[in-house]
Amino acid sequence: MTVTYTARVANARFCGFSKLLLAWKGSIYKVLYKEFLAFFAMYTAISITYRFFLYDDQKRYFEKLAIYCNHYASLIPMSFVLGFYVTLVVNRWWNQYTSIPLPDRLMCVLSGGLQGSDERGRLLRRTMMRYASLSALLILRSVSTAVFKRFPTMDHVVEAGFMTREERKKFEGLHSPYNKYWIPCVWFTNLAALARCEGRIKDDHTLKLLLEELNGFRGKCSMLFHYDMISVPLVYTQVVTLAVYSFFLVCLIGRQFLDPNQGYPGHDLDLYVPIFTLLQFFFYAGWLKVAEQLINPFGEDDDDFETNWLIDRNFQVSMMAVDEMYGDLPMMERDRYWNDSNPRPPYTAATLFVLRKPSFQGSTFDMAIPKEEMHFQPLEDIAENLEESGTRHPNMALFNRLLNAAPSPTGLMGGALRRTSAQLQRLRHFPSIDHCTSDDDDEDSCKIGKGGSLPSGLGQETQSTVCSFREDKSARTPLLDVQFGAEQDRGNPAAKEKKEVSGAEGRSEEEMLTQEEGGKGDTGETSRAPASLLPPPPQSSRETAPRPLSGIAITSHPHSAFLFHPAAHSSLEHCSSQPAINHSRALPHMPRPPFGGKKMSYLTVPSHDEPQRFRSVSMGSELTGS
């Protein structure tokens, strides 16, 4: 019988395994004591020979040999080879147990699928279940020594009632050089098909389910047969056995206590009994014995599988399920909790402590959240935060919350279009041209976006301001040809006319973002921009009075915005410091801001009537060509 100690270690306690060390049946002492005594006897014989029967010169030679053996014994990879082998054997041992065919699933399907309480129905169910048990018996008889000793011949199988004499004649009449454990499974399928033809199996789905369970049962029988035929490779077992035996044969000489008077390193004591060498033998040789016990669990060792008990149990249970229990139902009645919406079974005095434990509600049930973070946010703020986080690192919000600081302007490029004036004042950056588009059919094609954005090249890593325009193929305009000055505006009447039209319409498509050029006068003082070209920020529920943008002080060097010459309006194609924005979006009306100074700076781009091509000028961190 398999030695079980599960109940003795159900609860962990102080020295919980100490009581198990005193057990004898199935213990390591019972398996290893003979090898242990043999090793200790051999060690004692060599020690006595060295101490009392060798001459001095022979002792000196033996001492050198012992030091040599002790030095090179560590080269044998005992732990690696033996540990991997035992792991492989233990996994194989458990897989063999799970491959033992059990009839429980098959008998439930057969009892519910094959109808008929008459003699014919009962005979079909019992015969089919007996065939399944016969198949399991034949395969266990082939792999287990205990089962073979119980049923050494087919006469014993017939006499035990697993097979009739007529079935034995059929079985032996089928000539095959291979194991014929599968023949009863075929008889089972033939009877199932007959029952389907007789109408005792109502539909094909039930027949299919019954045959699937039978195939699973037969597959486990096949796995047992293959586990018995395909063992762990013999070379691996030989390597492990040679490693263990050779190691301890070397230890018989290398672990001897030498004469302390000779002054050998590590041989200062003479204890006569090698305690740690004996412990090492106990562990390593015991490990090898574990593998020897588990490599074939169908023997007669203390921890081998109880195959005869399994045969008895499976046969009795299966016959009861398909015969006596067929159609046998207890009378249905209301349970004691029929009208109780919260049924609670009673507890004994030994288990009352369970009621004192709180019911588990989830790992976040006791989680504490600050009260200021529990309020719902307006949808406008949520949409704004989502747009701002589009170009921000996913962990930036958490980082800013931990540092209790304002977000960096580097990661807020996408959300700068809808910033409030207070946020723009904290960032202290220039507004720049947001989005400019042009159409071949419409000359008034440059519009300022809904809000200001940070200029490219001021700390942004991924944003750049790109101005694309059309230019002659042959004549290229170098950067030196870009002219700055207010005279160009005064000398170009078309530009003045454009400005008048834009002032009447509020904001035209040709209008560009401008800023008063500030410089140092004779006194060296820095002038401020009198007005800002940004649109007013959107009103929110949290703001009571908007702050005028004209009050924002912006100082920088250089501090002039780019103005494109009106004559180049047809060549201007695209100017943007943002990612792709929907061009068809309607832009709000924004009045033309006043200009406070006389001198204005312009970026003039000449236009030509020759054949044109696209060109891109990048004014940011990278050059983008169209």
Side-chain angles (χ1 to χ4, degrees):
M1 185 66 180
T2 303
V3 178
T4 177
Y5 55 90
T6 309
R8 302 173 65 180
V9 293
N11 299 322
R13 59 175 67 91
F14 178 72
C15 295
F17 286 165
S18 58
K19 295 181 179 180
L20 301 178
L21 299 177
L22 304 178
W24 174 254
K25 186 177 181 181
S27 64
I28 187 64
Y29 319 118
K30 182 179 179 180
V31 177
L32 193 63
Y33 78 96
K34 294 180 181 179
E35 285 85 353
F36 185 82
L37 293 177
F39 177 79
F40 184 69
M42 294 173 64
Y43 182 91
T44 303
I46 295 175
S47 179
I48 292 175
T49 302
Y50 162 70
R51 296 174 186 275
F52 301 106
F53 295 99
L54 295 181
Y55 298 105
D56 291 341
D57 54 344
Q58 294 176 342
K59 288 183 178 180
R60 304 291 86 79
Y61 183 80
F62 179 82
E63 291 166 357
K64 294 179 180 179
L65 180 63
I67 294 174
Y68 175 82
C69 293
N70 187 40
H71 177 71
Y72 287 99
S74 59
L75 297 180
I76 300 176
M78 284 285 296
S79 300
F80 174 75
V81 175
L82 193 57
F84 188 78
Y85 181 75
V86 173
T87 302
L88 175 65
V89 170
V90 169
N91 292 334
R92 175 187 171 89
W93 166 77
W94 182 249
N95 290 335
Q96 289 184 77
Y97 181 77
T98 57
S99 298
I100 295 177
L102 299 176
D104 299 67
R105 293 169 58 96
L106 182 61
M107 69 187 186
C108 291
V109 176
L110 183 61
S111 178
L114 202 153
Q115 304 297 324
S117 57
D118 56 345
E119 187 72 18
R120 176 67 176 174
R122 179 186 179 191
L123 179 62
L124 285 173
R125 287 190 299 273
R126 289 184 64 92
T127 303
M128 294 171 69
M129 205 67 244
R130 181 169 57 84
Y131 285 160
S133 300
L134 176 61
S135 180
L137 173 62
L138 293 178
I139 193 61
L140 289 175
R141 181 175 173 269
S142 302
V143 301
S144 176
T145 57
V147 177
F148 186 82
K149 288 182 178 180
R150 182 180 179 183
F151 305 101
T153 63
M154 294 301 296
D155 292 334
H156 293 80
V157 176
V158 173
E159 186 177 355
F162 288 92
M163 181 185 293
T164 63
R165 297 187 182 276
E166 185 65 26
E167 292 169 352
R168 179 188 174 185
K169 291 179 183 180
K170 283 278 188 181
F171 184 83
E172 294 178 350
L174 298 171
H175 300 287
S176 177
Y178 308 106
N179 195 316
K180 297 185 290 185
Y181 68 91
W182 48 269
I183 291 179
C185 293
V186 178
W187 292 344
F188 185 100
T189 58
N190 294 336
L191 280 180
L194 180 61
R196 178 69 181 96
C197 294
E198 295 178 359
R200 296 185 180 272
I201 298 179
K202 297 300 182 182
D203 50 26
D204 293 335
H205 179 73
T206 305
L207 178 62
K208 177 178 178 293
L209 181 60
L210 182 61
L211 294 182
E212 285 179 350
E213 292 298 334
L214 176 68
N215 284 329
F217 185 87
R218 190 215 58 82
K220 289 189 175 182
C221 295
S222 178
M223 285 302 300
L224 284 184
F225 179 77
H226 289 295
Y227 270 119
D228 185 67
M229 180 177 65
I230 308 298
S231 303
V232 177
L234 181 61
V235 291
Y236 198 4
T237 304
Q238 290 176 343
V239 166
V240 174
T241 305
L242 288 176
V244 175
Y245 287 174
S246 60
F247 177 79
F248 287 108
L249 286 177
V250 172
C251 288
L252 289 175
I253 300 175
R255 300 295 176 85
Q256 293 288 337
F257 288 100
L258 305 180
D259 187 2
N261 297 326
Q262 300 300 322
Y264 296 113
H267 293 274
D268 301 332
L269 297 176
D270 190 6
L271 299 179
Y272 297 98
V273 179
I275 299 176
F276 291 97
T277 301
L278 294 178
L279 287 176
Q280 196 173 19
F281 177 84
F282 189 81
F283 298 146
Y284 283 144
W287 215 354
L288 183 64
K289 280 294 180 180
V290 169
E292 184 180 342
Q293 285 257 321
L294 301 182
I295 195 170
N296 183 14
F298 294 102
E300 297 179 283
D301 297 326
D302 291 339
D303 280 318
D304 286 342
F305 301 150
E306 293 292 335
T307 50
N308 284 317
W309 177 85
L310 287 173
I311 291 174
D312 296 339
R313 181 262 174 194
N314 294 339
F315 187 71
Q316 192 272 335
V317 169
S318 61
M319 287 300 177
M320 178 184 294
V322 299
D323 187 11
E324 296 181 12
M325 293 187 63
Y326 175 76
D328 184 16
L329 291 174
M331 184 180 63
M332 291 187 297
E333 59 182 7
R334 295 182 179 181
D335 57 85
R336 61 179 302 179
Y337 305 104
W338 181 265
N339 296 321
D340 192 355
S341 61
N342 185 22
R344 299 191 66 180
Y347 287 86
T348 60
T351 58
L352 286 179
F353 68 94
V354 179
L355 294 176
R356 300 187 182 97
K357 295 182 179 180
S359 178
F360 181 73
Q361 301 293 335
S363 57
T364 61
F365 184 72
D366 297 328
M367 182 177 178
I369 302 176
K371 185 174 295 184
E372 60 271 9
E373 297 183 4
M374 293 184 182
H375 301 290
F376 286 113
Q377 299 295 321
L379 295 179
E380 295 80 4
D381 298 340
I382 296 176
E384 179 181 346
N385 294 334
L386 289 177
E387 292 178 359
E388 290 181 1
S389 62
T391 58
R392 192 187 303 179
H393 194 272
N395 295 329
M396 184 63 70
L398 178 61
F399 181 74
N400 291 333
R401 187 172 61 180
L402 292 177
L403 295 182
N404 196 16
S408 173
T410 303
L412 303 180
M413 199 63 187
L417 292 174
R418 296 170 178 84
R419 292 290 180 84
T420 61
S421 59
Q423 290 173 327
L424 286 175
Q425 186 175 4
R426 286 197 299 269
L427 291 177
R428 296 175 183 269
H429 280 282
F430 285 109
S432 66
I433 299 174
D434 176 57
H435 188 69
C436 295
T437 59
S438 67
D439 195 298
D440 295 338
D441 300 331
D442 187 9
E443 295 181 356
D444 301 333
S445 57
C446 182
K447 293 184 179 181
I448 301 176
K450 295 178 67 174
S453 61
L454 297 178
S456 176
L458 297 178
Q460 285 78 5
E461 297 177 357
T462 60
Q463 303 293 335
S464 63
T465 303
V466 180
C467 296
S468 301
F469 55 89
R470 298 177 180 176
E471 189 184 12
D472 188 13
K473 293 183 178 179
S474 61
R476 296 186 177 182
T477 304
L479 293 179
L480 295 177
D481 293 342
V482 179
Q483 301 176 6
F484 295 87
E487 292 79 3
Q488 298 177 4
D489 187 15
R490 294 192 298 268
N492 193 343
K496 296 179 180 180
E497 184 178 356
K498 290 286 184 179
K499 292 180 180 179
E500 294 175 358
V501 174
S502 62
E505 296 178 353
R507 195 183 81 174
S508 67
E509 295 182 356
E510 189 190 21
E511 179 182 356
M512 304 303 295
L513 179 63
T514 61
Q515 184 179 2
E516 180 185 4
E517 179 181 5
K520 293 184 178 180
D522 298 336
T523 59
E525 297 179 358
T526 303
S527 62
R528 293 186 177 181
S532 174
L533 302 184
L534 291 176
Q539 298 295 332
S540 62
S541 60
R542 292 175 297 177
E543 295 181 355
T544 57
R547 182 180 299 179
L549 293 179
S550 60
I552 302 175
I554 303 175
T555 60
S556 177
H557 299 280
H559 44 72
S560 62
F562 293 138
L563 286 180
F564 291 86
H565 197 280
H569 67 275
S570 62
S571 63
L572 181 61
E573 181 65 20
H574 182 70
C575 178
S576 176
S577 62
Q578 300 294 332
I581 302 177
N582 189 2
H583 293 183
S584 63
R585 183 178 58 187
L587 299 176
H589 176 78
M590 185 178 66
R592 177 183 180 89
F595 298 101
K598 295 181 178 180
K599 289 187 177 182
M600 307 302 293
S601 62
Y602 300 91
L603 171 62
T604 62
V605 182
S607 61
H608 302 273
D609 296 334
E610 287 86 10
Q612 299 172 345
R613 68 183 182 90
F614 290 101
R615 182 181 178 188
S616 298
V617 178
S618 176
M619 305 181 66
S621 58
E622 59 183 10
L623 179 62
T624 305
S626 59

